């Protein structure tokens, strides 16, 4: 007898039939003697539909109202699941973000959870009911509805599991675990049985959207075991856990691609102390995260500085650099949005030499030119032409022998 948090993604609650299947699984888990807290996403496609509606009515819609709008998706699915559970004889209650006192900061559309008061949830469980919580949403200090960023109901679920000290946080989705690459890109990708928080965090950060980045951070911080699995089958999925001896430390655990990248090239920057500081301080002041940075060798006292940012922030980044450096200090500022980043991730890289070199060789053999490189202890990333992203992922996946043997 324990406490289990189960999160169901959009596809898993995408239709009345799917909701019935979820209700059956919840009832089964409860029948095994566990307390169950369910977290739901909006029905598949609903968040996109709502965002499009808001954007149709205003070029730059108010962020507070957009959060009030999109949060309705999860209100609908939590109520529908509770209706289904109650009708089938499993007592349940839906709860919205403010009702579980999911307190966040006030950063609309990308709020961060600050505290959760578990009293209302405990009360529901103590009465023998299933709590069905609307994921993705919270409430700020002023009582405004906030949302946690795309994919945020993963984070709602893990944060609730941490607050309630649940035995496990099960993430039910449309794949049966974490794969060596996005199975939509590599049909021969393999399911991984166990993976460390560190590797999962890199995979999520570098483009594997199966878990929201923040959810892995919270799980790692509080030691919440995550089990990613399919709502369409009973197969064991992938357990995300602390690194331990039982974890095989493979050299490359997975390959990812991130399309949300853009390159900003600042030409002819006067090469003198303080110029990099001026550029990157100005970007940081406006909360723009910079990923890769390259500075060329200077020629005649001038150099080129290239950096990458999220595609949606590229225009803003260009304007900020324009404002930060007087035109006498630099030449033209160019934007290249036609890029993507491919990465390999694995704990075993710490102790294996030559992994990066092998990645560059595999990309070369696939005819892919590398525009920028960044590395950490457990990953190597290359910025490449967007049009070659899929071929590059497949070449790396095959080259590092990650697929099913044919
Ligand atoms: P949900 O709506 O359940 O939250 P998501 O669409 O957010 O589902 O996440 C699941 C999807 O993540 C899968 O359908 C898959 O295409 C994609 N994905 C990307 N990389 C991976 C990976 N390495 N392993 C598994 N799934 C991945
Ligand atoms: N419904 C939200 C989204 O589509 C949150 C989630 O699915 O986790 O991003
Ligand atoms: Mg998701």
């Amino acid at each position: 007898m324990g406490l289990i948090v189960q999160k169901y993604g959009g596809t898993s609650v995408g239709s009345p039939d799917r909701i019935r299947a979820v209700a059956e699984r919840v009832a089964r888990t409860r029948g095994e003697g566990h307390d169950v807290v369910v977290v739901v996403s909006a029905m598949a496609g609903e968040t996109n539909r709502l965002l499009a509606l808001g954007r149709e009515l205003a070029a730059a819609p108010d962020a507070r109202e957009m959060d009030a709008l999109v949060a309705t998706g999860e209100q609908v699915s939590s109520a529908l699941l509770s209706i289904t559970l109650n009708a089938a004889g499993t007592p349940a209650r839906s709860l919205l973000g403010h009702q579980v006192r999911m307190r966040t900061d006030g950063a609309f559309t990308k709020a961060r959870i600050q505290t959760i008061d578990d009293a209302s949830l405990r009360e529901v469980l103590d009465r023998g009911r299933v709590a069905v919580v609307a994921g993705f949403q919270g409430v700020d200090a002023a009582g405004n509805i906030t949302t946690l960023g795309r994919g945020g109901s993963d984070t709602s679920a893990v944060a609730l599991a941490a607050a309630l000290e649940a035995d496990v946080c099960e993430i039910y989705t449309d794949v049966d675990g974490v794969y060596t690459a996005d199975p939509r890109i590599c049909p021969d990708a393999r399911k991984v049985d166990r993976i460390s928080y560190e590797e999962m965090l890199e995979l999520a950060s570098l483009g594997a959207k199966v878990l929201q980045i923040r959810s892995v951070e919270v799980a790692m911080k509080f030691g919440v075991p995550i089990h990613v699995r399919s709502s369409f089958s009973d197969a064991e999925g992938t357990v995300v856990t602390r690194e331990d001896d039982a974890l095989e430390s493979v050299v490359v655990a997975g390959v990812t691609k991130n399309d949300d990248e853009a390159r900003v090239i600042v030409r002819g920057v006067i090469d003198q102390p303080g110029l990099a500081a001026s550029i990157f301080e100005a970007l940081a002041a406006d909360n723009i995260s910079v990923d890769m940075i390259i500075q060329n060798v200077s020629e005649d006292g001038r150099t080129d500085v290239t950096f990458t940012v999220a595609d949606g922030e590229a225009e803003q980044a260009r304007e900020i650099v324009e404002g930060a450096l007087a035109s006498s200090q630099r030449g033209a500022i160019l934007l290249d949005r036609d890029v993507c980043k491919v990465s390999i991730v694995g704990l075993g890289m710490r102790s294996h030499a030559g992994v990066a070199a092998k990645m560059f060789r595999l990309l070369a053999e696939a005819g892919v030119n590398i525009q920028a490189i960044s590395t950490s202890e457990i990953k190597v990333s290359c910025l490449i032409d967007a049009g070659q992203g899929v071929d590059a992922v497949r070449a790396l996946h095959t080259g590092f022998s990650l697929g099913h043997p044919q």
Side-chain angles (χ1 to χ4, degrees):
M1 163 102 193
L3 172 61
I4 296 183
V5 174
Q6 296 186 331
K7 178 256 167 175
Y8 293 92
T11 322
S12 305
V13 293
S15 66
D17 277 347
R18 295 303 311 149
I19 292 176
R20 268 186 220 108
V22 168
E24 276 165 30
R25 190 184 293 271
V26 171
R28 225 184 315 143
T29 311
R30 206 164 152 276
E32 290 161 6
H34 303 294
D35 281 338
V36 188
V37 173
V38 181
V39 175
V40 284
S41 295
M43 296 170 83
E46 181 63 4
T47 308
N48 287 344
R49 188 185 75 85
L50 292 167
L51 285 170
L53 264 178
R55 287 177 188 148
E56 197 180 317
L57 293 168
D62 186 271
R64 178 186 184 278
E65 304 312 329
M66 285 303 271
D67 272 2
L69 173 67
V70 290
T72 60
E74 275 71 13
Q75 175 163 357
V76 169
S77 52
S78 60
L80 287 176
L81 178 58
S82 298
I83 288 170
T84 314
L85 282 164
N86 282 321
T90 304
R93 271 222 155 176
S94 66
L95 294 162
L96 299 178
H98 72 90
Q99 291 171 309
V100 289
R101 300 187 193 97
M102 177 80 73
R103 269 283 304 279
T104 69
D105 60 20
F108 296 116
T109 76
K110 50 178 179 208
R112 284 168 77 104
I113 300 172
Q114 292 174 328
T115 57
I116 298 171
D117 171 4
D118 63 3
S120 54
L121 274 171
R122 296 263 180 219
E123 196 185 316
V124 171
L125 297 176
D126 288 348
R127 291 181 182 223
R129 293 172 169 148
V130 172
V132 184
V133 180
F136 184 48
Q137 54 178 263
V139 59
D140 73 6
N144 298 302
I145 297 170
T146 55
T147 64
L148 308 179
R150 297 308 304 269
S153 46
D154 296 331
T155 304
S156 310
V158 175
L160 284 172
L164 294 164
E165 296 179 6
D167 297 288
V168 60
C169 182
E170 296 181 331
I171 304 280
Y172 286 91
T173 181
D174 57 1
V175 273
D176 53 10
V178 177
Y179 277 69
T180 47
D182 187 339
R184 291 184 218 186
I185 297 180
C186 298
D188 67 335
R190 266 184 309 112
K191 190 185 78 185
V192 180
D193 292 333
R194 283 162 64 87
I195 193 164
S196 66
Y197 291 127
E198 289 84 354
E199 285 166 312
M200 193 61 235
L201 190 58
E202 289 284 10
L203 289 175
S205 306
L206 296 170
K209 301 223 167 70
V210 58
L211 287 176
Q212 199 198 31
I213 302 167
R214 188 82 190 113
S215 71
V216 188
E217 285 172 356
V218 175
M220 185 150 105
K221 180 166 173 194
F222 295 98
V224 177
I226 298 181
H227 187 177
V228 181
R229 52 196 310 192
S230 168
S231 66
F232 294 80
S233 84
D234 286 329
E236 285 289 304
T238 301
V239 175
V240 188
T241 178
R242 283 193 204 295
E243 186 185 342
D244 61 28
D245 296 343
L247 260 179
E248 190 191 348
S249 83
V250 288
V251 178
V252 177
V255 181
T256 60
K257 171 164 82 75
N258 191 11
D259 296 313
D260 183 21
E261 302 276 344
R263 189 162 65 127
V264 183
I265 304 153
V266 193
R267 282 270 160 82
V269 182
I270 294 183
D271 198 5
Q272 68 186 37
L275 275 163
S278 320
I279 296 176
F280 296 107
E281 275 168 3
L283 291 163
D286 274 329
N287 245 326
I288 307 257
S289 311
V290 173
D291 181 19
M292 299 164 147
I293 301 175
I294 301 172
Q295 181 172 331
N296 292 9
V297 175
S298 69
E299 232 175 84
D300 303 329
R302 294 209 176 230
T303 183
D304 294 343
V305 175
T306 301
F307 58 89
T308 63
V309 292
D311 189 47
E313 296 183 329
E315 272 301 341
Q316 200 192 341
R318 189 226 302 254
E319 284 163 23
I320 291 169
V321 178
E322 260 165 11
L325 293 187
S327 49
S328 59
Q329 294 177 301
R330 55 156 172 90
I333 305 178
L334 313 176
L335 266 196
D336 178 6
R337 309 180 70 165
D338 226 8
V339 290
C340 72
K341 186 169 68 179
V342 289
S343 311
I344 54 173
V345 173
L347 285 181
M349 278 182 216
R350 287 179 193 151
S351 49
H352 281 75
V355 182
K358 179 166 177 183
M359 177 182 191
F360 306 151
R361 170 60 56 203
L362 289 167
L363 290 176
E365 282 166 1
V368 176
N369 188 43
I370 302 171
Q371 302 172 2
I373 298 167
S374 72
T375 64
S376 80
E377 234 191 346
I378 65 164
K379 67 117 197 214
V380 185
S381 298
C382 295
L383 194 76
I384 63 168
D385 201 78
Q388 294 185 303
V390 167
D391 286 346
V393 169
R394 289 182 182 150
L396 295 172
H397 193 257
T398 307
F400 282 103
S401 310
L402 296 178
H404 280 296
Q406 295 299 313

